[in-house]
Amino acid sequence: MLNPNTYLKILFLFLFSIGLLAAGYVYDFSKKYPPPITKRISFDAKLKFIREHIDPDTIDTIIVGSSIGLNNVLGTVLEKESTKIEHALNLSVYEATTLEVEQILELSDAFPHLKRIIYSAQYSDFPHAKRYEGYDAQVLKKFIRHELSAPALSKLLFDACNNLLFCKQREEKWKSEHLQSNKFTSLLFDSTGSVPLEIYIKEGVGGRWYLPHPGVMHPESFAAVERMAKRAQAKGIHFYVAHQPYRTPLYDKHEKVREAIKHFDDKIQNIIHPYGGELIRLQPLRLGDEYHADRTHLNAKGATIASQEIAKIIDKIEK
């Protein structure tokens, strides 16, 4: 029978070994996969991308939105086509509501030379008034700027991966779900954090191709846009809302789609104009189906055209 001292030594050695293995796994995981800091894979991946690939002190243009921003606006094209935009960062996150975009924009303070914000949206982004819970912009700003102390960074990563099963599940799905450019879940970032979609056929898209969105838009969503525009003006930053094109055959066929788009345009214009904001309407591009991945998402070819148009309009406005 073991004496108490020996038993305690074995117990502590066992616990230390378990802790060491867990620490090793968390470290290895955070190097290969997005640590679940926000528990939203797209947001976590974007934070990791910025931390590893972006110099925050060079960024002059931020693109925000849901996947309508992530896929439809290519920062690389903006940089190439615009005389005003030198270094763009796409800060868009899958399924982000307008109020969540407002929270994401709290990170804009991490970019001291920011000159403009482009909110890429579609009226279908506006039905919900959800916010991120437990959101700490101050910690995330320090994370992407490498300003967290070693103990604080370790705590952040350990807290993120305290559910090892969750991390393991993310690891298993990462390649098949998020490293495929022909999937809507793609997180294959270009050099600016945009995600060009290589989806050129409607087969397999289902209702996303031919069923129109209802024209439901929450008042809190518009209120959030007004606050964004007001905050940008106070900081001397240009604020643009790029209303992305709806698939042309659906726009032509359904009066409710045309009404929803007009309502969105009128409302946004009235809200942001007092704060110097500008609305960029992209429906007049009348892009053909070969440029759409579904009813509202553009593929890489369509996103290139939309981004070229945004660059042209920004250059004209800021001339």
Side-chain angles (χ1 to χ4, degrees):
M1 183 176 179
L2 295 175
N3 64 52
N5 288 337
T6 303
Y7 175 80
L8 287 175
K9 287 180 181 179
I10 294 174
L11 176 62
F12 283 129
L13 180 62
F14 176 75
L15 293 176
F16 177 77
S17 299
I18 293 295
L20 195 62
L21 287 173
Y25 175 76
V26 170
Y27 176 80
D28 184 65
F29 181 93
S30 66
K31 291 296 182 182
K32 297 177 180 178
Y33 310 99
I37 296 170
T38 70
K39 301 299 186 290
R40 288 166 173 78
I41 183 68
S42 178
F43 202 175
D44 294 331
K46 185 58 60 73
L47 293 171
K48 178 178 170 65
F49 169 81
I50 297 171
R51 178 179 171 84
E52 295 179 352
H53 300 286
I54 297 294
D55 179 356
D57 293 338
T58 66
I59 298 300
D60 58 58
T61 303
I62 283 179
I63 305 147
V64 287
S66 64
S67 53
I68 301 297
L70 192 66
N71 304 137
N72 288 20
V73 184
L74 305 182
T76 52
V77 175
L78 294 181
E79 290 176 344
K80 180 182 177 181
E81 299 292 332
S82 171
T83 61
K84 300 294 184 181
I85 299 171
E86 295 185 7
H87 299 285
L89 169 64
N90 195 319
L91 199 50
S92 303
V93 174
Y94 283 158
E95 300 177 347
T97 69
T98 307
L99 278 77
E100 288 169 342
V101 168
E102 182 183 20
Q103 289 178 290
I104 292 169
L105 273 179
E106 292 177 31
L107 300 180
S108 64
D109 292 339
F111 309 95
H113 302 296
L114 188 63
K115 296 179 180 178
R116 64 193 61 81
I117 293 168
I118 303 168
Y119 179 19
S120 173
Q122 181 51 262
Y123 77 84
S124 54
D125 287 325
F126 276 54
H128 307 293
K130 295 186 298 183
R131 290 181 179 272
Y132 294 129
E133 296 181 4
Y135 181 78
D136 191 336
Q138 296 303 317
V139 169
L140 298 185
K141 280 187 283 189
K142 290 181 180 180
F143 175 73
I144 61 179
R145 288 190 59 86
H146 296 264
E147 293 175 352
L148 285 176
S149 65
L153 177 60
S154 297
K155 182 180 186 304
L156 179 69
L157 296 179
F158 270 98
D159 288 346
C161 232
N162 58 11
N163 184 340
L164 293 180
L165 178 60
F166 182 89
C167 290
K168 189 64 178 176
Q169 290 172 340
R170 174 171 287 192
E171 177 183 337
E172 292 171 351
K173 293 179 179 179
W174 177 244
K175 185 175 181 179
S176 62
E177 292 294 323
H178 304 294
L179 298 184
Q180 309 294 329
S181 63
N182 62 347
K183 288 190 174 185
F184 288 101
T185 52
S186 173
L187 289 173
L188 284 170
F189 300 128
D190 66 14
S191 62
T192 66
S194 297
V195 178
L197 289 178
E198 302 296 339
I199 299 175
Y200 300 103
I201 55 174
K202 62 182 179 181
E203 286 77 13
V205 178
R208 295 177 64 145
W209 185 260
Y210 60 85
L211 293 178
H213 292 93
V216 178
M217 289 166 260
H218 200 290
E220 277 299 311
S221 296
F222 289 108
V225 174
E226 182 173 10
R227 290 192 297 269
M228 290 184 229
K230 184 177 181 180
R231 185 176 188 269
Q233 184 190 52
K235 292 180 174 292
I237 296 170
H238 292 285
F239 184 77
Y240 300 93
V241 175
H243 192 181
Q244 293 292 334
Y246 216 87
R247 188 175 152 252
T248 302
L250 284 178
Y251 176 83
D252 291 342
K253 180 179 180 180
H254 296 281
E255 183 179 1
K256 66 179 181 179
V257 171
R258 297 193 297 275
E259 290 175 347
I261 287 176
K262 184 179 186 306
H263 175 74
F264 180 94
D265 286 344
D266 292 345
K267 192 80 172 176
I268 290 294
Q269 182 65 46
N270 290 335
I271 283 172
I272 68 176
H273 181 71
Y275 305 104
E278 297 281 353
L279 171 65
I280 299 175
R281 300 176 175 88
L282 296 173
Q283 190 65 40
L285 290 174
R286 294 191 62 80
L287 296 179
D289 282 352
E290 67 270 27
Y291 298 107
H292 277 266
D294 69 3
R295 59 201 164 189
T296 56
H297 293 83
L298 301 174
N299 56 36
K301 289 165 54 179
T304 297
I305 295 175
S307 301
Q308 289 171 337
E309 182 70 8
I310 291 171
K312 182 176 72 175
I313 292 173
I314 286 177
D315 280 4
K316 183 178 180 180
I317 290 172
E318 296 184 24
K319 182 175 63 176

